[in-house]
Amino acid sequence: MKKLLSLTMAALTATSAFAGGYRVSLQGQKQLAMGHTGVAVVNSAETLFFNPAGASFLKDRFNFSAGANGLFARTKFQNETYNWKNSTDNFGTPFEIYASYRATDWLTVGLAVYSPYGSAVKWDKDWQGANLVNNIDLEAVYIQPTLSIKVNDYLSIGGGPIYVTGGVSLNKNLSRSLTDENGNPSDVNIEAKNVTAWGYTAGLMFNPDKHVRLGLNYRSRITMEARDGDAKFHDVPEFAQGTYHDTQFNADLPLPAELTAGLSVEFSDKWLVAFDYNRAYWNVYKSLDVSFANGITSVNPRNYKDASTYRVGAQFKPNNKFAFRTGWYFDESPVQDGYFAPETPRNDSMGFTGGLTYQLTPKFGIDASFLYLHFKETNNSYNYADEDGTPYSFGGTYKNVVFSPGVGVTYSF
């Protein structure tokens, strides 16, 4: 019973990762190049994500933007006390597709499809932290139909529902010592597919001057309800097979609400500067409940805190062919000391961005962007692991970096 409880705790830890512990903002090539600002910027259909109210102020009747990034993430782990060293290199391909159409002078409709959660962490099999996680792979696709209403030349509002579909898989060892008769560590693979949920987004844009925009956008909390996920056990010794047999599990996975406010200023026809402030309400992760089909339920402490992100970006357009962009942001980690788990090795970070657009024709352009994300090195631990009813701590020094080049296209008329 106690061992199964340990397993439940581990599954819970993994589901918190699915809830967003490893999220890199990559929802538009133009806006990423400007430090991922955009709540007060109107320059393409990417505004459907950053602030749907901005679609009413797009110059062209039809606007289309699409792009993708290669996400290269590297984490190094070291514990000098036990001489433990390990590292993980992971790759992801987040994408975005946006389209808007001005149906009337005051109404614009749009559709946004993007993947804000689509990363993976894969440590060496049976590494020192294998009883917490060997690997985790998650994906989530957001589909957002949108309406944008132009109240007048100064004010617009917009928003729409968000439908989320995704899944997650996790592999971890059952404990630090349990093996089968051949000495193979016992492990479990937990997988949930076709997990869906609903949320919404709403925004407001105000233009007090033709060169100044103010924006506000709210994205609601979304709860992913994983039901009847599969839990499959491997290399379990015969004496423990009565406890560790294939079963199913349920879990609710909350994604936090976010509020973003921002300002953009056009200093001239060539220069645009933007500032965004984002608040993510991570405090919903005080604990998560997971229930296995045998009736056991466990509560895993996470105790996340609300976190802020501060962004600044600039755009320079020397002519009608080129636009150059750069940006920077500081992203606070929601993970508090003592809750630093190896499937979400995330500390405070700074992002450095850049990119450009080349207009092949007045209607068609190619966008490019890059992101270098540097996480503050930390010596931290997860103090709530449990094995056979005995709590223990696992920790060390973590170093993280992320590099992500991206490319996209825009078409409007």
Side-chain angles (χ1 to χ4, degrees), residues 38-235:
V39 72
V41 177
V42 178
N43 59 8
S44 74
E46 292 178 8
T47 191
L48 293 174
F49 169 81
F50 291 89
N51 187 350
S56 291
F57 294 121
L58 288 168
K59 294 180 180 178
D60 294 316
R61 180 175 291 272
F62 176 80
N63 297 269
F64 174 82
S65 295
N69 285 74
L71 180 63
F72 302 86
R74 179 177 178 82
T75 300
K76 289 185 177 180
F77 168 79
Q78 182 176 8
N79 184 308
E80 294 183 350
T81 301
Y82 300 103
N83 196 28
W84 292 343
K85 294 182 180 179
N86 213 306
S87 64
T88 173
D89 293 279
N90 302 286
F91 177 71
T93 55
F95 70 93
E96 71 277 350
I97 303 171
Y98 306 112
S100 70
Y101 177 73
R102 188 167 62 240
T104 70
D105 289 342
W106 59 271
L107 176 64
T108 298
V109 298
L111 180 66
V113 181
Y114 46 94
S115 56
Y117 298 87
S119 60
V121 176
K122 185 177 182 180
W123 296 93
D124 291 340
K125 181 72 174 177
D126 304 327
W127 72 299
Q128 296 87 354
N131 54 305
L132 294 175
V133 62
N134 278 313
N135 62 71
I136 181 171
D137 191 0
L138 60 95
E139 60 182 11
V141 176
Y142 283 40
I143 303 171
Q144 175 195 312
T146 308
L147 294 178
S148 184
I149 298 172
K150 183 179 180 181
V151 179
N152 52 46
D153 290 339
Y154 301 98
L155 180 66
S156 68
I157 57 176
I162 298 174
Y163 176 73
V164 185
T165 179
V168 62
S169 66
L170 161 80
N171 180 270
K172 54 90 62 182
N173 289 3
L174 296 181
S175 76
R176 293 174 291 181
S177 58
L178 187 65
T179 65
D180 66 7
E181 288 74 9
N182 297 318
N184 299 311
S186 305
D187 69 88
V188 61
N189 198 77
I190 296 173
E191 185 173 28
K193 298 180 179 178
N194 302 318
V195 182
T196 61
W198 286 92
Y200 68 91
T201 181
L204 179 149
M205 185 166 285
F206 177 58
N207 308 320
D209 181 89
K210 65 178 181 180
H211 300 298
V212 179
R213 296 186 192 276
L214 302 174
L216 186 69
N217 180 238
Y218 178 78
R219 306 178 69 81
S220 74
R221 171 182 170 180
I222 296 176
T223 300
M224 304 292 288
E225 297 182 350
R227 295 291 180 267
D228 300 326
D230 294 324
K232 296 184 178 181
F233 298 84
H234 312 97
D235 301 320

Side-chain angles (χ1 to χ4, degrees), residues 204-273:
L204 179 149
M205 185 166 285
F206 177 58
N207 308 320
D209 181 89
K210 65 178 181 180
H211 300 298
V212 179
R213 296 186 192 276
L214 302 174
L216 186 69
N217 180 238
Y218 178 78
R219 306 178 69 81
S220 74
R221 171 182 170 180
I222 296 176
T223 300
M224 304 292 288
E225 297 182 350
R227 295 291 180 267
D228 300 326
D230 294 324
K232 296 184 178 181
F233 298 84
H234 312 97
D235 301 320
V236 177
E238 186 174 350
F239 75 87
Q241 291 180 2
T243 301
Y244 297 129
H245 55 82
D246 295 352
T247 185
Q248 294 179 311
F249 72 94
N250 297 332
D252 290 345
L253 316 171
L255 309 180
E258 294 184 18
L259 180 66
T260 305
L263 161 72
S264 72
V265 180
E266 282 189 45
F267 288 100
S268 68
D269 292 339
K270 296 181 178 180
W271 282 99
L272 171 70
V273 177

Side-chain angles (χ1 to χ4, degrees), residues 23-29 36 49-50 96 98 114-116:
R23 182 184 188 279
V24 178
S25 298
L26 296 168
Q27 276 72 65
Q29 302 304 314
H36 214 252
F49 169 81
F50 291 89
E96 71 277 350
Y98 306 112
Y114 46 94
S115 56

Side-chain angles (χ1 to χ4, degrees), residues 165-396:
T165 179
V168 62
S169 66
L170 161 80
N171 180 270
K172 54 90 62 182
N173 289 3
L174 296 181
S175 76
R176 293 174 291 181
S177 58
L178 187 65
T179 65
D180 66 7
E181 288 74 9
N182 297 318
N184 299 311
S186 305
D187 69 88
V188 61
N189 198 77
I190 296 173
E191 185 173 28
K193 298 180 179 178
N194 302 318
V195 182
T196 61
W198 286 92
Y200 68 91
T201 181
L204 179 149
M205 185 166 285
F206 177 58
N207 308 320
D209 181 89
K210 65 178 181 180
H211 300 298
V212 179
R213 296 186 192 276
L214 302 174
L216 186 69
N217 180 238
Y218 178 78
R219 306 178 69 81
S220 74
R221 171 182 170 180
I222 296 176
T223 300
M224 304 292 288
E225 297 182 350
R227 295 291 180 267
D228 300 326
D230 294 324
K232 296 184 178 181
F233 298 84
H234 312 97
D235 301 320
V236 177
E238 186 174 350
F239 75 87
Q241 291 180 2
T243 301
Y244 297 129
H245 55 82
D246 295 352
T247 185
Q248 294 179 311
F249 72 94
N250 297 332
D252 290 345
L253 316 171
L255 309 180
E258 294 184 18
L259 180 66
T260 305
L263 161 72
S264 72
V265 180
E266 282 189 45
F267 288 100
S268 68
D269 292 339
K270 296 181 178 180
W271 282 99
L272 171 70
V273 177
F275 306 90
D276 276 14
Y277 169 76
N278 172 269
R279 186 70 169 174
Y281 298 97
W282 288 101
N283 63 8
V284 294
Y285 292 107
K286 293 186 181 302
S287 67
L288 290 173
D289 298 334
V290 171
S291 300
F292 282 81
N294 58 11
I296 294 177
T297 300
S298 178
V299 176
N300 183 44
R302 300 301 294 178
N303 201 26
Y304 277 25
K305 63 180 181 180
D306 295 343
S308 298
T309 306
Y310 308 87
R311 305 178 183 276
V312 59
Q315 173 181 273
F316 174 62
K317 296 181 68 173
N319 51 53
N320 292 329
K321 279 291 185 181
F322 285 97
F324 300 96
R325 304 180 182 91
T326 187
W328 171 88
Y329 64 84
F330 176 73
D331 189 5
E332 295 178 347
S333 172
V335 183
Q336 302 199 73
D337 290 344
Y339 297 86
F340 210 89
E343 87 283 355
T344 54
R346 179 187 177 193
N347 198 15
D348 294 345
S349 62
M350 287 194 295
F352 303 88
T353 70
L356 60 86
T357 293
Y358 177 66
Q359 290 291 147
L360 288 173
T361 73
K363 297 180 179 178
F364 181 74
I366 298 176
D367 304 314
S369 70
F370 75 87
L371 163 69
Y372 175 74
L373 189 62
H374 177 77
F375 291 81
K376 183 180 179 182
E377 179 181 322
T378 183
N379 190 322
N380 219 315
S381 61
Y382 185 71
N383 299 336
Y384 300 91
D386 182 277
E387 187 169 86
D388 299 334
T390 302
Y392 68 94
S393 177
F394 176 85

